[in-house]
Amino acid sequence: MPNANALEKITDYDRLVEIFGVSKISKELLKELPSTHKLLEIGYIFAHRDFDKLIAQWKKGEKFAILTGRGPSNALHLGHLLIFEFVKWLQDTFKVPVFIPLSDDEKYVFRKVNTLKDSLYYAYDNALDIAALGFDERDTNFFISSKLLDVYQLAITLSRHVTLNEVKAVFGFSDSDNPGKYFYSCIQAAHILYPTWKKGFRSLVPIAIDQDPYIRLSRDIAERIKLPKPAAIHSKYLPGLTGEPMSASKPETAIFIDDDPYQIKSKIWRALTGGQPTIKEQREKGGNPDKCIVFKWLETFVLTPHEALEWKEKCRSGQILCGECKRKLFEGLARKLYEHHKSKLKVISKAEKYFIHEVD
Ligand code: SF4
């Protein structure tokens, strides 16, 4: 089994499903849900571990909790926002608590920030952006990983139930890596199992498919200490605007929440399309929406699933040109971010209500 780092670039999702032994989200499972979400309809959220069992238990009145973390070393980008919007839908649909660890410790030991304090700034700023999506303040629990004694106590407890070899196999660490990285594997498992250990709720973890090995490790540990295993739902990767993965070190790949309209426009104008080299050829031969990042982003952020199907056909038949798509994407995203900033201003005064601060 390849480790999580080696799996990051595989985009043959059927192969990943096979490698990991996860289940695809079937039409039958979708029918069991009280409502649906666009990311489920377009297959962006496509696989799971035990989500079916969790839903069956929920229907019998057993509550679960959603656990979804954020490593704070930068402003959020739209790919992050997408997943948190889905988590908000899960919270609204199933009326369940959400736990959001902000892992300043991870960003420090992996040298993404110079000091823990640097990460703290982003932790609070990211929390405001997430809360601004409309999370229920009575049932949403952010915590700063290095500041919650419970997390440390649980991580220490879990560390006795995992071996260094298992951690190396999952994370791909070598002997030259610092010990903080090794111990962070126990902290991450503590985040995942926190709602179960502390509150008795089985965890549901929305996660990108390449991160499934971390879930598997946490499930193994849970079994060893006789806790219910966490369930997971897996997403595909949203490609960055240039076709590469979205990354803070390559700002042109993503739209960040603090980008201004000029930055958004210039990134979209340079984005990869499936268009022909000339307008004449585009009109005659049509474009290729399946290889077009602009289309992928339109489908994900702007269009309804039905509109996306129509748009695809218009592209293939040469009825639309790439400039039109880019303009539509720019207008949609600029509007989305404008509304987001207005919502963020509204949550600032009640931000404290979302945080767990100490052992209770
Ligand atoms: Fe993509 Fe639109 Fe160009 Fe088609 S017309 S290739 S959907 S940008």
Side-chain angles (χ1 to χ4, degrees):
M1 172 76 60
N3 65 52
N5 290 340
L7 288 161
E8 212 174 307
K9 304 224 161 26
I10 302 179
T11 50
D12 179 345
Y13 294 109
D14 286 340
R15 194 168 153 231
L16 285 177
V17 164
E18 207 177 293
I19 292 174
F20 290 143
V22 297
S23 307
K24 279 194 176 174
I25 295 180
S26 64
K27 285 192 180 127
E28 290 70 36
L29 176 53
L30 288 179
K31 280 187 203 146
E32 293 297 317
L33 308 182
S35 65
T36 188
H37 187 276
K38 180 179 163 182
L39 296 187
L40 290 165
E41 284 176 45
I42 64 173
Y44 183 74
I45 307 280
F46 76 109
H48 73 100
R49 278 187 190 277
D50 287 352
F51 186 45
D52 49 353
K53 291 183 188 147
L54 203 74
I55 297 302
Q57 287 164 337
W58 174 79
K59 285 188 171 174
K60 288 181 192 157
E62 206 172 300
K63 227 175 177 182
F64 61 89
I66 302 159
L67 185 291
T68 181
R70 162 72 190 149
S73 59
N74 271 100
L76 295 177
H77 59 55
L78 286 177
H80 301 127
L81 218 56
L82 193 65
I83 292 301
F84 283 110
E85 282 168 345
F86 180 70
V87 171
K88 154 89 170 55
W89 172 80
L90 286 171
Q91 180 178 63
D92 291 347
T93 304
F94 296 99
K95 307 281 179 274
V96 288
V98 175
F99 291 82
I100 306 177
L102 298 156
S103 46
D104 57 334
D105 39 11
E106 175 203 357
K107 291 298 161 188
Y108 181 70
V109 297
F110 283 84
R111 298 185 186 279
K112 300 290 182 193
V113 290
N114 289 328
T115 66
L116 277 171
K117 211 172 163 190
D118 289 346
S119 188
L120 210 55
Y121 164 80
Y122 285 111
Y124 286 117
D125 190 55
N126 291 174
L128 283 178
D129 281 311
I130 296 165
L133 299 176
F135 280 92
D136 180 348
E137 74 225 40
R138 293 157 305 176
D139 234 356
T140 305
N141 309 279
F142 288 93
F143 56 87
I144 307 286
S145 183
S146 73
K147 289 182 179 287
L148 197 64
L149 185 56
D150 271 350
V151 168
Y152 176 70
Q153 289 180 343
L154 181 54
I156 286 290
T157 306
L158 302 181
S159 71
R160 281 175 43 164
H161 301 273
V162 63
T163 68
L164 209 51
N165 279 340
E166 284 177 301
V167 172
K168 277 185 183 174
V170 168
F171 289 83
F173 296 149
S174 70
D175 289 353
S176 59
D177 279 304
N178 72 55
K181 290 186 182 179
Y182 286 89
F183 186 61
Y184 183 72
S185 63
C186 297
I187 295 195
Q188 189 178 56
H191 292 162
I192 292 172
L193 298 175
Y194 179 84
T196 316
W197 176 73
K198 185 73 183 173
K199 309 279 182 186
F201 300 134
R202 188 173 177 186
S203 297
L204 170 66
V205 189
I207 199 165
I209 183 70
D210 60 303
Q211 290 166 18
D212 184 72
Y214 311 146
I215 291 292
R216 237 181 21 251
L217 185 66
S218 299
R219 284 167 64 89
D220 289 348
I221 298 173
E223 199 166 29
R224 290 168 201 165
I225 59 169
K226 303 200 182 337
L227 282 181
K229 292 192 222 176
I233 35 181
H234 303 93
S235 68
K236 296 177 179 172
Y237 323 108
L238 179 66
L241 288 167
T242 56
E244 304 159 275
M246 285 190 263
S247 161
S249 61
K250 291 185 179 171
E252 68 281 9
T253 58
I255 304 285
F256 292 87
I257 275 180
D258 53 5
D259 280 350
D260 63 40
Y262 297 103
Q263 289 169 307
I264 299 172
K265 194 168 189 178
S266 110
K267 288 179 186 183
I268 290 175
W269 250 254
R270 282 178 287 149
L272 207 67
T273 73
Q276 302 290 349
T278 64
I279 293 178
K280 189 168 174 288
E281 282 179 86
Q282 178 90 3
R283 291 286 185 214
E284 283 169 10
K285 299 179 190 164
N288 185 349
D290 296 327
K291 293 205 167 153
C292 176
I293 302 290
V294 172
F295 176 75
K296 184 69 92 197
W297 278 53
L298 273 174
E299 180 189 43
T300 308
F301 294 109
V302 179
L303 303 172
T304 64
H306 179 70
E307 288 169 339
L309 286 177
E310 286 184 351
W311 203 263
K312 239 182 183 181
E313 278 319 302
K314 282 187 186 168
C315 167
R316 288 198 179 111
S317 60
Q319 286 179 65
I320 46 169
L321 299 175
C322 298
E324 207 178 315
C325 297
K326 288 177 176 176
R327 213 163 19 251
K328 192 170 184 67
L329 182 60
F330 166 69
E331 285 167 5
L333 296 186
R335 199 178 318 116
K336 183 180 175 69
L337 286 182
Y338 173 71
E339 293 301 330
H340 178 79
H341 287 298
K342 283 203 299 189
S343 305
K344 185 173 178 179
L345 285 176
K346 286 187 196 151
V347 295
I348 289 176
S349 60
K350 58 175 184 176
E352 277 296 296
K353 293 183 183 165
Y354 287 94
F355 276 85
I356 307 172
H357 290 285
E358 52 199 40
V359 186
D360 50 33

